[in-house]
Amino acid sequence: HKALYQSYYKKVDRLKNAKWHLDKCIHFLKEIEVNNDENFDIEFNEIWCKIRYGQYFYKISNNEEALKTYDETFYIISDLQEFEEFGIQKLLFEIKGKINKSKGEKSQKNRKRNLEIIYDLLNNYGDIYRDMGKLNKAEQLYKKSLEITLILYGENHGDTARSYNNLGLLYSNMG
C-alpha cells in the first residue's frame, strides 16, 4: 500500500486513491501490532504514514490539518536523541511559540532513520510556512533541514539538492 500511495500521490486526479491506500496502511499496522510481530518496525511505519497524511492534506490545500498532523508526528518523535541534539525543540518554539514536551528517555537507535524523519518533517513544515507567506519561519526550517541533510548525505545527493532548491525558491520569493 505504501508504494501504491506514492504512485497515486503524484497524480493530482488520484489523490482520493492515495488517501485510501494510506488508510489501508494504518489498518495493516494495527493488525500487525495486535499480532505482536517483532520483526516489523511499527513505530517507523506509523511515523511514515503520519508524514504522508500531512503531505496529503498539504496537497489538497488544507494547511491547518497538515500542520496538525505534523505537530502530532513531532510529538511522537520528540523522544529521539537527535531531536534535542539539533535543537529542534528550540527551533519549533521560536517558530510556533509553543513546544511539545518530550515523552521520556532519549532513543539512540536508528540515528540515520531518525534524522531522515526529522529532515522530512522540517521540509514539510517549511513548505507550509512558505505557502502561508511566513517566509522567515520557512527559512529557519529549510536551513535546519539542509544542515541535517548535509550530515546525512553530503553535497551530492538528491535530498541535499531538494534542501538547496527549497532555500533557493524561498529566497526568490523573498526578492
Side-chain angles (χ1 to χ4, degrees):
H1 287 291
K2 286 167 76 171
L4 289 169
Y5 162 78
Q6 289 174 319
S7 69
Y8 285 126
Y9 178 78
K10 294 175 183 172
K11 300 172 185 159
V12 175
D13 61 330
R14 300 265 176 109
L15 284 175
K16 286 184 181 180
N17 294 17
K19 185 172 182 312
W20 184 86
H21 284 288
L22 269 179
D23 293 339
K24 288 293 183 187
C25 283
I26 293 292
H27 177 76
F28 178 70
L29 289 172
K30 288 179 182 173
E31 282 183 17
I32 290 173
E33 197 167 37
V34 167
N35 295 328
N36 292 325
D37 187 343
E38 294 176 15
N39 296 321
F40 191 79
D41 190 345
I42 292 173
E43 182 182 42
F44 172 75
N45 284 283
E46 285 176 335
I47 292 167
W48 186 92
C49 287
K50 278 271 191 207
I51 291 170
R52 299 309 171 264
Y53 269 117
Q55 288 175 337
Y56 167 79
F57 290 125
Y58 171 73
K59 194 150 188 172
I60 63 168
S61 300
N62 188 342
N63 288 345
E64 185 177 311
E65 197 62 35
L67 283 172
K68 179 182 166 194
T69 303
Y70 294 146
D71 285 346
E72 290 170 1
T73 307
F74 263 117
Y75 176 73
I76 292 169
I77 66 169
S78 66
D79 63 340
L80 300 178
Q81 173 187 339
E82 295 81 8
F83 203 77
E84 188 175 293
E85 177 183 343
F86 285 92
I88 305 302
Q89 287 183 328
K90 182 178 185 247
L91 175 68
L92 290 179
F93 180 75
E94 290 170 3
I95 290 172
K96 299 172 74 55
K98 65 179 181 178
I99 188 169
N100 290 327
K101 301 219 184 302
S102 174
K103 297 186 312 184
E105 274 186 46
K106 305 291 177 211
S107 170
Q108 295 184 31
K109 289 191 236 176
N110 303 313
R111 178 177 171 77
K112 183 177 186 287
R113 183 195 76 190
N114 296 346
L115 289 175
E116 288 171 341
I117 290 168
I118 292 169
Y119 147 77
D120 200 13
L121 280 166
L122 290 173
N123 258 318
N124 293 339
Y125 263 121
D127 291 345
I128 292 172
Y129 280 108
R130 183 195 63 224
D131 289 355
M132 292 169 60
K134 298 179 179 184
L135 303 182
N136 291 331
K137 292 179 179 187
E139 180 183 24
Q140 289 177 286
L141 292 159
Y142 286 148
K143 282 183 174 180
K144 185 59 76 171
S145 175
L146 175 60
E147 175 188 340
I148 291 170
T149 308
L150 287 168
I151 289 168
L152 278 169
Y153 307 115
E155 287 286 337
N156 296 319
H157 191 274
D159 287 336
T160 305
R162 175 184 174 204
S163 292
Y164 277 122
N165 185 58
N166 285 343
L167 274 171
L169 290 172
L170 177 72
Y171 291 144
S172 176
N173 289 340
M174 294 171 108

